[in-house]
Amino acid sequence: MTLADHPTTAPTPATYGAVLGSRHVVRLLGGTLTGRLPNGMVPVGLVLWITGGGGSLAFAGLLAALYGLASGLSQPVKGRLMDRYGQTRVSAPAVLLNSSCLAALPWIGASGHPAAVTAVVGLAGLVTPPLEAGLRALWPTVLPDLGRRRVVQALDTGSQGLLYIAGPLLASWLATAYGPDTALTATAALGLVGTVVVLTAAPSRTWRPAAADGAAGSGRLMSAGLVLLFTALAGTGFALGAMNVWAAGMASKHGLAMLSGVLPAAFSTGSFLGGLVYARRAWPGTTTTQLITTSALFLLGWVPLLVQPGPRTAIALTVIPGLFLTLIITNGFHTVDALAPASRTTEAYAWLILSVGTGQAAGTALAGALAERPYVLAALPAAGAATALIILTLARRKLGPGRRPGRHRRPRPHQKHHVNSPLLEGDTRMAVAGKPGYQNLRNARLSDRRGELCDTDTDGNVQPLCRPCHRLKTREDFGAAGPLF
């Protein structure tokens, strides 16, 4: 059962104390946040390291962009590998390589050969451990209760925005107090420590993906619903990227350099507060309804900023759209739960993360090109939010929790039949005479290999209430005198 299978009013609200007091929760959250701190520290650390060594700001910016791009583009591949081989066999070598590359940069030197520096930074980005997608895959086993899982996932999403406040500040402080080389070394150590904390926890060590047709990682991933969802969330990411450039433009316009950092910090604070409020109680409507509603509110939150308010007003108003970001991303993950094959959820989570990141990069690039037009620049975050809302509204019917029973095709005669896995105790089996080649089973309840409840139609085809779909093995498969089951 997934969070998106039912209206979100179903889970009973859980307290923060109950959730954080659950076994493994604090360790997994703390380890993941620590292990992901380098995502916010590396770009700043690289810029300070290169410029401190006499290099150009353009080269430093190129390295920072390369690290982020390599890390984002490799997420789905790492997620797919994790679905196949488990978390330890993927994240352990990844974090060792990532930390080694970052620690090697001071040894190479900022004045070292540019090609060598670029290659090391690019490799470090490619092998960043997929901690966020991995953590999402762990929550169903750590917190089977839906109410508690809603709380921890909202806390997870909301707290991630704080990484991009704490990370740059920490990297800047370390570089100023102890030098850029120390900042990079500390970044490598934090990533290694955080990942080790997660990987040595029992849920991560024992986690295995759900099997589909007997093989983990199989099954078609990209349905129309997922493609539309990822495209819409790229629009949300576009708004984030444009906001960062808009903040820099506001700082330049008012002559207050601190606005370039304070405005994104206000937005992230709003995101964290929104997650706390959202997780505290159950809200009406299905996940799809909440996703569209929060996207509409996200868009409305940007509207007051179109008038180019003063610094103090802008800081206060920027909190408003931030309140709804955590809700959008959390409901996006819940929608992925409903639409992605159970054997490929980590990969699907990674695609969602990549979609937001790609949109953010596009928003930053376009906003940078239009930075000389302040009113256009102020409208770009709203444009990204509007794009996301339009796509989600049009895709509403495709964002539900799967196909309706009774709509699956029969296998063609030449196709090999799937053999059902053994039924669980308590299952009811009732054979009734029916059409030739298919046994008519009525009012029967079966469970597939993951224990998910299934129904059968009048042709004997198993129609699960959730994925995947299997067909009952019929008498034809055994011969005329063979057993039905």
Side-chain angles (χ1 to χ4, degrees):
M1 181 184 294
T2 64
L3 284 169
D5 289 333
H6 301 286
T8 51
T9 52
T12 303
T15 64
Y16 297 119
V19 171
L20 296 176
S22 300
R23 191 179 182 190
H24 304 300
V25 169
V26 171
R27 176 173 181 171
L28 292 174
L29 273 177
T32 300
L33 292 175
T34 302
R36 295 186 65 233
L37 262 179
N39 292 348
M41 295 177 66
V42 168
V44 175
L46 286 174
V47 169
L48 296 176
W49 180 64
I50 291 294
T51 56
S56 68
L57 182 60
F59 181 55
L62 175 65
L63 291 178
L66 174 63
Y67 184 88
L69 183 64
S71 177
L73 292 178
S74 61
Q75 283 287 332
V77 176
K78 290 178 286 192
R80 182 69 183 273
L81 291 174
M82 191 176 285
D83 279 333
R84 286 182 175 271
Y85 303 111
Q87 298 197 353
T88 303
R89 295 173 66 181
V90 175
S91 290
V95 73
L96 289 175
L97 282 172
N98 176 267
S99 297
S100 298
C101 288
L102 293 177
L105 288 175
W107 180 77
I108 297 174
S111 58
H113 198 285
V117 173
T118 302
V120 172
V121 170
L123 178 59
L126 286 174
V127 295
T128 51
L131 292 177
E132 182 178 0
L135 182 63
R136 294 283 176 176
L138 290 178
W139 288 135
T141 59
V142 176
L143 294 172
D145 177 73
L146 297 183
R148 294 190 177 192
R149 206 187 312 166
R150 285 183 67 250
V151 172
V152 80
Q153 288 183 333
L155 286 174
D156 181 9
T157 303
S159 60
Q160 288 175 24
L162 301 179
L163 293 176
Y164 295 95
I165 300 174
L169 290 175
L170 181 58
S172 299
W173 174 73
L174 288 172
T176 302
Y178 303 102
D181 288 355
T182 302
L184 286 176
T185 304
T187 301
L190 285 171
L192 180 62
V193 170
T195 305
V196 168
V197 168
V198 173
L199 294 183
T200 53
S204 179
R205 286 188 286 106
T206 59
W207 180 85
R208 296 295 182 272
D213 294 333
S218 62
R220 182 172 177 266
L221 174 62
M222 286 299 179
S223 63
L226 280 179
V227 172
L228 291 169
L229 173 67
F230 295 154
T231 305
L233 292 180
T236 304
F238 182 96
L240 303 183
M243 176 201 65
N244 291 326
V245 181
W246 167 76
M250 288 287 288
S252 177
K253 176 182 178 180
H254 295 283
L256 296 172
M258 68 173 185
L259 282 179
S260 61
V262 171
L263 288 172
F267 181 88
S268 297
T269 302
S271 177
F272 181 70
L273 294 176
L276 293 179
V277 174
Y278 175 75
R280 189 62 188 87
R281 52 165 293 186
W283 299 87
T286 63
T287 298
T288 302
T289 301
Q290 288 194 11
L291 182 59
I292 294 174
T293 301
T294 52
S295 294
L297 294 172
F298 183 66
L299 169 59
L300 291 176
W302 291 111
V303 173
L305 294 167
L306 296 176
V307 300
Q308 294 287 305
R312 293 183 180 179
T313 305
I315 293 171
L317 291 176
T318 305
V319 175
I320 297 175
L323 290 171
F324 305 104
L325 176 65
T326 293
L327 284 63
I328 294 172
I329 302 301
T330 300
N331 283 299
F333 277 113
H334 293 173
T335 305
V336 167
D337 286 338
L339 298 180
S343 61
R344 297 180 67 177
T345 51
T346 310
E347 181 184 358
Y349 295 150
W351 276 107
L352 188 153
I353 296 166
L354 174 58
S355 299
V356 176
T358 302
Q360 189 169 355
T364 302
L366 184 58
L370 299 174
E372 300 301 323
R373 302 179 181 180
Y375 287 98
V376 175
L377 185 60
L380 287 179
T387 302
L389 177 60
I390 291 171
I391 294 173
L392 290 173
T393 303
L394 295 176
R396 184 188 188 98
R397 294 181 178 273
K398 297 182 181 295
L399 299 178
R403 302 170 178 171
R404 290 163 43 187
R407 296 300 181 93
H408 303 278
R409 296 179 179 177
R410 294 184 195 170
R412 296 178 181 176
H414 66 273
Q415 289 180 322
K416 188 175 181 179
H417 297 324
H418 291 291
V419 180
N420 286 328
S421 56
L423 303 181
L424 301 183
E425 291 184 10
D427 290 337
T428 302
R429 304 177 181 184
M430 182 173 62
V432 182
K435 299 178 183 179
Y438 291 91
Q439 300 303 316
N440 191 348
L441 298 178
R442 297 181 184 275
N443 302 322
R445 293 282 185 176
L446 305 127
S447 294
D448 70 6
R449 67 193 60 193
R450 293 173 315 189
E452 295 174 329
L453 194 61
C454 305
D455 285 330
T456 57
D457 64 13
T458 57
D459 289 330
N461 294 320
V462 175
Q463 307 294 359
L465 300 182
C466 44
R467 305 168 312 274
C469 174
H470 300 286
R471 188 182 68 78
L472 267 179
K473 197 168 186 180
T474 64
R475 194 181 299 279
E476 280 188 343
D477 299 319
F478 295 98
L484 175 59
F485 295 104

